[in-house]
Amino acid sequence: VQLQASGGGLVQTGDSRTLSCAATSACMAWFRQAPGLEREFVGAVTWRTGRAYSVDSVKGRFIVSRDVAKNMVYLQMNSLKPEDTGVYYCAAGPGLGYSVQDCSSPNAYDDFGQGTQVTVSS
């Protein structure tokens, strides 16, 4: 299964949007890349336990979750801000040298799929 994030689009400040991606590994994460900036880790979920992680900049607004029955991972984005604009990628891990205990680490991911653009207008 090829990693493919979907659900992006143009939204307004304060809107909500949910991105989805088919799960392929024990650790699944979301990254984003804003124009002119490096790709950054947004959050992740440990597939087996459902334990989710997110970075401070989105904590309280973004929720990473998984649906075992559908084999899907989601990034629910609430209270969107213009600075959330970017291409959002789902990623699979853990990569070589890492374990499932490293799901919360951005360094554990080495398989990135096609991204989906999220644009938040002010």
Side-chain angles (χ1 to χ4, degrees):
V1 177
Q2 186 175 4
L3 290 171
Q4 174 71 61
S6 63
L10 175 64
V11 298
Q12 295 185 337
T13 296
D15 282 354
S16 296
R17 196 82 170 189
T18 298
L19 307 181
S20 60
C21 175
T24 63
S25 191
C27 299
M28 297 297 298
W30 290 96
F31 288 72
R32 67 184 179 186
Q33 187 167 19
L37 299 179
E38 293 187 355
R39 186 165 54 194
E40 65 170 346
F41 178 76
V42 175
V45 63
T46 300
W47 183 258
R48 184 181 64 83
T49 64
R51 183 174 180 180
Y53 320 87
S54 60
V55 295
D56 288 344
S57 61
V58 304
K59 200 161 290 184
R61 297 191 300 122
F62 290 13
I63 301 171
V64 182
S65 63
R66 58 68 156 136
D67 185 324
V68 175
K70 296 181 179 179
N71 203 45
M72 296 291 288
V73 177
Y74 303 100
L75 178 64
Q76 180 182 339
M77 306 182 292
N78 303 310
S79 302
L80 282 161
K81 306 175 181 180
E83 51 264 43
D84 295 319
T85 293
V87 179
Y88 283 71
Y89 301 87
C90 67
L96 187 63
Y98 294 90
S99 73
V100 69
Q101 279 74 35
D102 300 315
C103 287
S104 62
S105 170
N107 297 324
Y109 297 90
D110 61 358
D111 186 8
F112 292 83
Q114 296 293 319
T116 186
Q117 175 73 43
V118 175
T119 303
V120 185
S121 65
S122 58

mmCIF file of all heavy atoms in Angstrom, residues 47-69:
data_model
loop_
_atom_site.group_PDB
_atom_site.id
_atom_site.type_symbol
_atom_site.label_atom_id
_atom_site.label_comp_id
_atom_site.label_asym_id
_atom_site.label_seq_id
_atom_site.Cartn_x
_atom_site.Cartn_y
_atom_site.Cartn_z
ATOM 1 N N TRP A 47 0.455 2.250 16.350
ATOM 2 C CA TRP A 47 -0.695 1.525 15.808
ATOM 3 C C TRP A 47 -1.276 0.529 16.807
ATOM 4 O O TRP A 47 -2.480 0.453 17.001
ATOM 5 C CB TRP A 47 -0.302 0.801 14.524
ATOM 6 C CG TRP A 47 -1.478 0.113 13.903
ATOM 7 C CD1 TRP A 47 -1.797 -1.214 13.941
ATOM 8 C CD2 TRP A 47 -2.525 0.756 13.191
ATOM 9 N NE1 TRP A 47 -2.980 -1.435 13.301
ATOM 10 C CE2 TRP A 47 -3.446 -0.251 12.825
ATOM 11 C CE3 TRP A 47 -2.786 2.083 12.838
ATOM 12 C CZ2 TRP A 47 -4.608 0.031 12.102
ATOM 13 C CZ3 TRP A 47 -3.935 2.356 12.118
ATOM 14 C CH2 TRP A 47 -4.828 1.339 11.753
ATOM 15 N N ARG A 48 -0.435 -0.212 17.462
ATOM 16 C CA ARG A 48 -0.928 -1.293 18.315
ATOM 17 C C ARG A 48 -1.720 -0.759 19.511
ATOM 18 O O ARG A 48 -2.774 -1.290 19.853
ATOM 19 C CB ARG A 48 0.238 -2.148 18.815
ATOM 20 C CG ARG A 48 -0.185 -3.363 19.636
ATOM 21 C CD ARG A 48 1.019 -4.161 20.111
ATOM 22 N NE ARG A 48 1.857 -3.405 21.023
ATOM 23 C CZ ARG A 48 1.612 -3.290 22.329
ATOM 24 N NH1 ARG A 48 0.563 -3.881 22.862
ATOM 25 N NH2 ARG A 48 2.423 -2.579 23.095
ATOM 26 N N THR A 49 -1.238 0.309 20.124
ATOM 27 C CA THR A 49 -1.866 0.798 21.350
ATOM 28 C C THR A 49 -2.818 1.969 21.104
ATOM 29 O O THR A 49 -3.671 2.254 21.944
ATOM 30 C CB THR A 49 -0.802 1.260 22.346
ATOM 31 O OG1 THR A 49 -0.094 2.387 21.786
ATOM 32 C CG2 THR A 49 0.183 0.138 22.654
ATOM 33 N N GLY A 50 -2.634 2.651 19.989
ATOM 34 C CA GLY A 50 -3.439 3.833 19.731
ATOM 35 C C GLY A 50 -2.930 5.080 20.435
ATOM 36 O O GLY A 50 -3.529 6.154 20.338
ATOM 37 N N ARG A 51 -1.812 4.949 21.131
ATOM 38 C CA ARG A 51 -1.274 6.115 21.825
ATOM 39 C C ARG A 51 -0.830 7.144 20.804
ATOM 40 O O ARG A 51 -0.102 6.827 19.870
ATOM 41 C CB ARG A 51 -0.106 5.719 22.720
ATOM 42 C CG ARG A 51 0.440 6.892 23.521
ATOM 43 C CD ARG A 51 1.497 6.460 24.509
ATOM 44 N NE ARG A 51 1.998 7.606 25.275
ATOM 45 C CZ ARG A 51 2.930 7.533 26.210
ATOM 46 N NH1 ARG A 51 3.474 6.360 26.499
ATOM 47 N NH2 ARG A 51 3.311 8.614 26.845
ATOM 48 N N ALA A 52 -1.264 8.370 21.024
ATOM 49 C CA ALA A 52 -0.992 9.433 20.060
ATOM 50 C C ALA A 52 -0.084 10.494 20.655
ATOM 51 O O ALA A 52 -0.046 10.680 21.874
ATOM 52 C CB ALA A 52 -2.292 10.067 19.584
ATOM 53 N N TYR A 53 0.628 11.167 19.793
ATOM 54 C CA TYR A 53 1.560 12.212 20.179
ATOM 55 C C TYR A 53 1.368 13.399 19.245
ATOM 56 O O TYR A 53 0.975 13.219 18.100
ATOM 57 C CB TYR A 53 3.002 11.715 20.061
ATOM 58 C CG TYR A 53 3.212 10.302 20.529
ATOM 59 C CD1 TYR A 53 3.027 9.218 19.671
ATOM 60 C CD2 TYR A 53 3.588 10.041 21.848
ATOM 61 C CE1 TYR A 53 3.205 7.925 20.098
ATOM 62 C CE2 TYR A 53 3.772 8.742 22.278
ATOM 63 C CZ TYR A 53 3.582 7.685 21.411
ATOM 64 O OH TYR A 53 3.755 6.395 21.846
ATOM 65 N N SER A 54 1.647 14.586 19.749
ATOM 66 C CA SER A 54 1.615 15.756 18.880
ATOM 67 C C SER A 54 2.587 16.799 19.404
ATOM 68 O O SER A 54 2.904 16.821 20.597
ATOM 69 C CB SER A 54 0.197 16.335 18.780
ATOM 70 O OG SER A 54 -0.269 16.710 20.048
ATOM 71 N N VAL A 55 3.033 17.651 18.521
ATOM 72 C CA VAL A 55 3.981 18.683 18.939
ATOM 73 C C VAL A 55 3.233 19.823 19.626
ATOM 74 O O VAL A 55 2.026 19.994 19.444
ATOM 75 C CB VAL A 55 4.773 19.222 17.725
ATOM 76 C CG1 VAL A 55 5.637 18.114 17.145
ATOM 77 C CG2 VAL A 55 3.845 19.803 16.670
ATOM 78 N N ASP A 56 3.963 20.583 20.405
ATOM 79 C CA ASP A 56 3.341 21.633 21.208
ATOM 80 C C ASP A 56 2.595 22.660 20.368
ATOM 81 O O ASP A 56 1.567 23.190 20.787
ATOM 82 C CB ASP A 56 4.407 22.335 22.056
ATOM 83 C CG ASP A 56 4.902 21.460 23.196
ATOM 84 O OD1 ASP A 56 4.233 20.452 23.512
ATOM 85 O OD2 ASP A 56 5.961 21.788 23.761
ATOM 86 N N SER A 57 3.104 22.938 19.172
ATOM 87 C CA SER A 57 2.496 23.981 18.348
ATOM 88 C C SER A 57 1.079 23.630 17.883
ATOM 89 O O SER A 57 0.319 24.516 17.499
ATOM 90 C CB SER A 57 3.383 24.276 17.141
ATOM 91 O OG SER A 57 3.546 23.125 16.332
ATOM 92 N N VAL A 58 0.742 22.355 17.915
ATOM 93 C CA VAL A 58 -0.606 21.955 17.477
ATOM 94 C C VAL A 58 -1.385 21.270 18.578
ATOM 95 O O VAL A 58 -2.561 20.909 18.381
ATOM 96 C CB VAL A 58 -0.543 21.033 16.238
ATOM 97 C CG1 VAL A 58 0.213 21.703 15.114
ATOM 98 C CG2 VAL A 58 0.063 19.687 16.588
ATOM 99 N N LYS A 59 -0.762 21.080 19.723
ATOM 100 C CA LYS A 59 -1.431 20.387 20.816
ATOM 101 C C LYS A 59 -2.675 21.155 21.235
ATOM 102 O O LYS A 59 -2.666 22.366 21.362
ATOM 103 C CB LYS A 59 -0.467 20.227 21.994
ATOM 104 C CG LYS A 59 -0.848 19.158 22.978
ATOM 105 C CD LYS A 59 0.341 18.732 23.831
ATOM 106 C CE LYS A 59 1.354 17.977 23.011
ATOM 107 N NZ LYS A 59 2.487 17.451 23.828
ATOM 108 N N GLY A 60 -3.764 20.421 21.400
ATOM 109 C CA GLY A 60 -5.026 21.054 21.737
ATOM 110 C C GLY A 60 -5.842 21.433 20.517
ATOM 111 O O GLY A 60 -7.029 21.733 20.628
ATOM 112 N N ARG A 61 -5.211 21.429 19.344
ATOM 113 C CA ARG A 61 -5.928 21.741 18.111
ATOM 114 C C ARG A 61 -5.949 20.559 17.156
ATOM 115 O O ARG A 61 -6.940 20.313 16.483
ATOM 116 C CB ARG A 61 -5.283 22.943 17.406
ATOM 117 C CG ARG A 61 -5.325 24.225 18.184
ATOM 118 C CD ARG A 61 -4.920 25.411 17.323
ATOM 119 N NE ARG A 61 -3.567 25.261 16.790
ATOM 120 C CZ ARG A 61 -3.271 25.272 15.488
ATOM 121 N NH1 ARG A 61 -4.229 25.410 14.585
ATOM 122 N NH2 ARG A 61 -2.010 25.149 15.083
ATOM 123 N N PHE A 62 -4.858 19.834 17.068
ATOM 124 C CA PHE A 62 -4.745 18.698 16.144
ATOM 125 C C PHE A 62 -4.807 17.392 16.930
ATOM 126 O O PHE A 62 -4.213 17.272 18.002
ATOM 127 C CB PHE A 62 -3.431 18.741 15.374
ATOM 128 C CG PHE A 62 -3.326 19.835 14.352
ATOM 129 C CD1 PHE A 62 -4.217 20.895 14.302
ATOM 130 C CD2 PHE A 62 -2.299 19.798 13.410
ATOM 131 C CE1 PHE A 62 -4.105 21.899 13.350
ATOM 132 C CE2 PHE A 62 -2.167 20.792 12.451
ATOM 133 C CZ PHE A 62 -3.071 21.837 12.422
ATOM 134 N N ILE A 63 -5.475 16.422 16.360
ATOM 135 C CA ILE A 63 -5.588 15.113 16.995
ATOM 136 C C ILE A 63 -5.203 14.038 15.986
ATOM 137 O O ILE A 63 -5.769 13.973 14.891
ATOM 138 C CB ILE A 63 -7.025 14.851 17.486
ATOM 139 C CG1 ILE A 63 -7.436 15.926 18.497
ATOM 140 C CG2 ILE A 63 -7.125 13.467 18.117
ATOM 141 C CD1 ILE A 63 -8.910 15.878 18.861
ATOM 142 N N VAL A 64 -4.264 13.219 16.371
ATOM 143 C CA VAL A 64 -3.882 12.064 15.561
ATOM 144 C C VAL A 64 -4.616 10.844 16.104
ATOM 145 O O VAL A 64 -4.627 10.609 17.313
ATOM 146 C CB VAL A 64 -2.365 11.823 15.600
ATOM 147 C CG1 VAL A 64 -1.994 10.637 14.709
ATOM 148 C CG2 VAL A 64 -1.606 13.075 15.171
ATOM 149 N N SER A 65 -5.206 10.085 15.212
ATOM 150 C CA SER A 65 -5.935 8.900 15.657
ATOM 151 C C SER A 65 -5.848 7.817 14.598
ATOM 152 O O SER A 65 -5.390 8.056 13.476
ATOM 153 C CB SER A 65 -7.398 9.232 15.946
ATOM 154 O OG SER A 65 -8.045 9.654 14.756
ATOM 155 N N ARG A 66 -6.275 6.649 14.983
ATOM 156 C CA ARG A 66 -6.296 5.563 14.008
ATOM 157 C C ARG A 66 -7.578 4.766 14.146
ATOM 158 O O ARG A 66 -8.197 4.718 15.214
ATOM 159 C CB ARG A 66 -5.066 4.653 14.121
ATOM 160 C CG ARG A 66 -4.740 3.938 15.451
ATOM 161 C CD ARG A 66 -5.495 2.975 15.942
ATOM 162 N NE ARG A 66 -4.901 2.008 16.850
ATOM 163 C CZ ARG A 66 -5.539 1.641 17.938
ATOM 164 N NH1 ARG A 66 -6.672 2.221 18.275
ATOM 165 N NH2 ARG A 66 -5.032 0.698 18.702
ATOM 166 N N ASP A 67 -8.005 4.172 13.040
ATOM 167 C CA ASP A 67 -9.185 3.321 13.018
ATOM 168 C C ASP A 67 -8.715 1.940 12.586
ATOM 169 O O ASP A 67 -8.386 1.729 11.419
ATOM 170 C CB ASP A 67 -10.226 3.883 12.041
ATOM 171 C CG ASP A 67 -11.528 3.118 12.057
ATOM 172 O OD1 ASP A 67 -11.493 1.871 12.212
ATOM 173 O OD2 ASP A 67 -12.578 3.746 11.924
ATOM 174 N N VAL A 68 -8.677 1.027 13.527
ATOM 175 C CA VAL A 68 -8.154 -0.304 13.256
ATOM 176 C C VAL A 68 -9.013 -1.029 12.219
ATOM 177 O O VAL A 68 -8.493 -1.682 11.314
ATOM 178 C CB VAL A 68 -8.060 -1.114 14.556
ATOM 179 C CG1 VAL A 68 -7.625 -2.541 14.261
ATOM 180 C CG2 VAL A 68 -7.082 -0.458 15.523
ATOM 181 N N ALA A 69 -10.311 -0.888 12.340
ATOM 182 C CA ALA A 69 -11.211 -1.606 11.430
ATOM 183 C C ALA A 69 -11.027 -1.157 9.988
ATOM 184 O O ALA A 69 -11.122 -1.957 9.056
ATOM 185 C CB ALA A 69 -12.652 -1.408 11.864
#
